[in-house]
Amino acid sequence: MKFSTASVLLCMATAASAFAPNTISSRSPSTSLDMSGVTRNPNFAKLAGGYLFPEIARRRNAYLEENPDMADHIISLGIGDTTMPIPEHILSGLVQGAAKLGTKEGYSGYGDGQGMIELREKISSVLYNDLITADEVFVSDGAKCDIMRVQQMFGNDVVSAVQDPSYPVYVDTSVMMGQTGDIDESTSQYENMVYMPCTAENDFFPDYASLPRADVVYFCSPNNPTGAAATKDQLTELVKTCKERGSILVFDAAYAPFIRDPNVPKSIFEIEGARDVAIECNSFSKYAGFTGVRLGWTVVPNGLTFADGTLVKQDFNRVMGTAFNGASNIVQNGGIACLDPEGQAEIDTLIDYYLGNAKLLKDAMQEIGFKVFGGDNAPYVFVQLPEGKSSWDMFSEMLEKAQVVTIPGAGFGPGGEGYLRLSAFAPRDSIVEACERLKKAMV
């Protein structure tokens, strides 16, 4: 059967129109609405400025508008986004996961809401040495998303405590949920939130016992942004204090694979008593270069309860089941490959590469004359600036003099002022070039 060109085009146009919306005017000729009649969520009006990383991008773009010839000269030591390709064995898991969907025998639709049982069993055995069980693992699309889901579970009638400085998501999600009051412009801190100072003077570990009690304590180790990794003794004290106060500890372990010190726990569940007080969020993003692939998990112990005896796991399961349909089947197959012996070896190679970058950055900053923290058990180097030097001013100075993008410590909270965060997630040649430029420009 033959078709004329006109017939084919007509069929294509007809098919395309099936997906096109109807163009019916919803506005009467005599009525003009410049805005809806819906009241804005007042909690969003409390948020201070923009989220940190889009603000960094905005300033970078503003610099390039004024200096367009520098577009190919910028090196980013800013956002913690991995840059190395996904290794061969791990990639094969993703490829096979996709290929199975093209076969009758391998096709799968909706899966277990908590995640594939094979993946959850491997997480519990390979990463936790069976300190947890597979039924306590909730597979997700990343730790950042899970922090918000944890917040949804806790609701607005709790007080949260955060490290200062800390990853902005803990603070911003608390504000969005309505847990806080307005921001105090004189301190840059929100009312009804406990800020736990983490400074060079206290080795970046907070003294929670000396601060007001919080219902929920957010703690990240190895830490973003400071690069500090809490010791077993420090975490034992934190768990003890949370237990005495009836606080729930939300432990962010997204950077656990960077730990090389045997005295630094990779999981809060290595600490005695943690199962009574803690939830742990984690992610494959930094393990295997999955920042764009998206795969994480949260561990909620079976015995952890609210004050009324309700299981925390029960409510978290309700949040996940209501607002999430499970991580991609393809991606979960990639996660299974990560936890094979071959995948673990590939991850170790990746981590060694980024830690090598961190050492180069740390050495360069020390050579310039800065006091430097982190970079040993973490991919972040935290640079202390000369007294009185603003972190945003130093950000601008390094951008203008060396075309190197960093992250101002002030973006992580008031406690971060006077510091810069450098990320080791750039390619090695970019790290080497950035170090050379900074040593020439900043001396």
Side-chain angles (χ1 to χ4, degrees):
M1 183 180 295
K2 295 183 179 179
F3 297 93
S4 68
T5 301
S7 298
V8 172
L9 291 174
L10 179 60
C11 290
M12 291 173 64
T14 303
S17 68
F19 297 94
N22 293 327
T23 54
I24 300 174
S25 174
S26 58
R27 181 182 296 178
S28 67
S30 59
T31 304
S32 177
L33 294 176
D34 295 325
M35 62 190 73
S36 75
V38 179
T39 302
R40 184 190 185 197
N41 182 337
N43 297 313
F44 281 75
K46 299 176 188 175
L47 290 168
Y51 185 58
L52 173 61
F53 302 113
E55 176 61 18
I56 295 292
R58 187 192 69 78
R59 294 188 183 220
R60 176 182 181 275
N61 292 337
Y63 170 79
L64 289 176
E65 283 182 12
E66 295 180 4
N67 304 274
D69 54 322
M70 292 296 180
D72 296 328
H73 203 59
I74 296 286
I75 295 176
S76 178
L77 304 179
I79 189 169
D81 191 3
T82 53
T83 52
M84 292 297 288
I86 294 174
E88 183 178 358
H89 180 77
I90 296 172
L91 182 63
S92 72
L94 293 168
V95 172
Q96 291 168 16
K100 285 193 294 187
L101 296 180
T103 67
K104 185 175 181 180
E105 299 76 16
Y107 176 79
S108 58
Y110 292 129
D112 188 322
Q114 277 190 240
M116 292 180 179
I117 184 61
E118 182 182 359
L119 176 56
R120 290 188 283 124
E121 286 176 343
K122 279 198 165 188
I123 288 172
S124 63
S125 63
V126 175
L127 298 181
Y128 291 88
N129 294 317
D130 295 319
L131 290 171
I132 64 168
T133 56
D135 67 317
E136 296 173 318
V137 178
F138 292 81
V139 176
S140 72
D141 51 349
K144 183 178 184 179
C145 306
D146 280 352
I147 293 297
M148 186 58 177
R149 293 172 183 130
V150 165
Q151 291 277 27
Q152 288 174 318
M153 177 185 69
F154 287 128
N156 62 359
D157 195 24
V158 295
V159 174
S160 292
V162 297
Q163 292 164 279
D164 182 25
S166 72
Y167 183 42
V169 170
Y170 315 128
V171 173
D172 284 7
T173 54
S174 297
V175 176
M176 290 176 181
M177 288 301 301
Q179 297 170 8
T180 73
D182 294 325
I183 195 167
D184 183 334
E185 298 295 343
S186 66
T187 63
S188 297
Q189 295 182 344
Y190 286 95
E191 299 166 355
N192 203 43
M193 174 171 274
V194 177
Y195 287 81
M196 304 184 294
C198 295
T199 65
E201 290 68 34
N202 65 8
D203 292 326
F204 299 100
F205 188 82
D207 182 11
Y208 175 46
S210 70
L211 298 167
R213 177 193 175 276
D215 298 297
V216 185
V217 177
Y218 291 91
F219 190 87
C220 177
S221 177
N223 185 259
N224 177 15
T226 67
T231 66
K232 186 171 185 177
D233 288 345
Q234 288 173 327
L235 291 179
T236 298
E237 185 62 30
L238 181 59
V239 166
K240 177 175 174 286
T241 304
C242 286
K243 198 165 187 176
E244 291 171 349
R245 291 181 153 194
S247 305
I248 290 181
L249 174 64
V250 178
F251 190 79
D252 185 343
Y255 299 97
F258 291 88
I259 293 172
R260 292 293 182 262
D261 186 338
N263 192 41
V264 175
K266 293 184 177 181
S267 168
I268 194 63
F269 299 117
E270 295 178 41
I271 305 302
E272 185 176 354
R275 291 181 58 83
D276 299 327
V277 299
I279 294 169
E280 181 166 298
C281 298
N282 211 321
S283 167
F284 283 100
S285 288
K286 306 306 191 294
Y287 278 70
F290 273 28
T291 50
V293 176
R294 310 306 306 151
L295 187 65
W297 69 92
T298 289
V299 179
V300 185
N302 287 325
L304 182 62
T305 64
F306 290 108
D308 66 356
T310 303
L311 293 176
V312 173
K313 178 185 170 183
Q314 171 185 306
D315 285 2
F316 190 69
N317 186 52
R318 184 62 182 265
V319 171
M320 295 293 282
T322 301
F324 186 60
N325 262 341
S328 157
N329 299 341
I330 298 170
V331 172
Q332 291 190 69
N333 277 281
I336 291 169
C338 287
L339 302 177
D340 290 338
E342 301 92 335
Q344 289 290 283
E346 290 175 338
I347 287 171
D348 285 342
T349 300
L350 281 176
I351 299 302
D352 286 343
Y353 178 88
Y354 290 127
L355 285 175
N357 285 350
K359 185 179 187 308
L360 291 172
L361 290 171
K362 190 168 185 175
D363 290 347
M365 293 301 102
Q366 289 173 332
E367 186 176 331
I368 292 169
F370 291 116
K371 192 169 184 180
V372 183
F373 305 91
D376 298 319
N377 294 294
Y380 298 123
V381 174
F382 210 48
V383 181
Q384 190 171 36
L385 305 179
E387 186 153 352
K389 186 73 172 182
S390 155
S391 59
W392 278 108
D393 286 347
M394 184 60 83
F395 164 87
S396 297
E397 186 175 340
M398 288 186 172
L399 178 59
E400 291 164 8
K401 288 184 176 181
Q403 292 73 55
V404 173
V405 175
T406 59
I407 299 289
F412 297 97
E417 182 55 273
Y419 293 88
L420 284 183
R421 192 198 78 175
L422 308 183
S423 167
F425 286 118
R428 178 64 54 85
D429 58 348
S430 296
I431 293 286
V432 172
E433 174 66 18
C435 289
E436 291 305 314
R437 289 189 201 172
L438 290 169
K439 283 189 286 187
K440 289 177 183 177
M442 306 306 297
V443 173

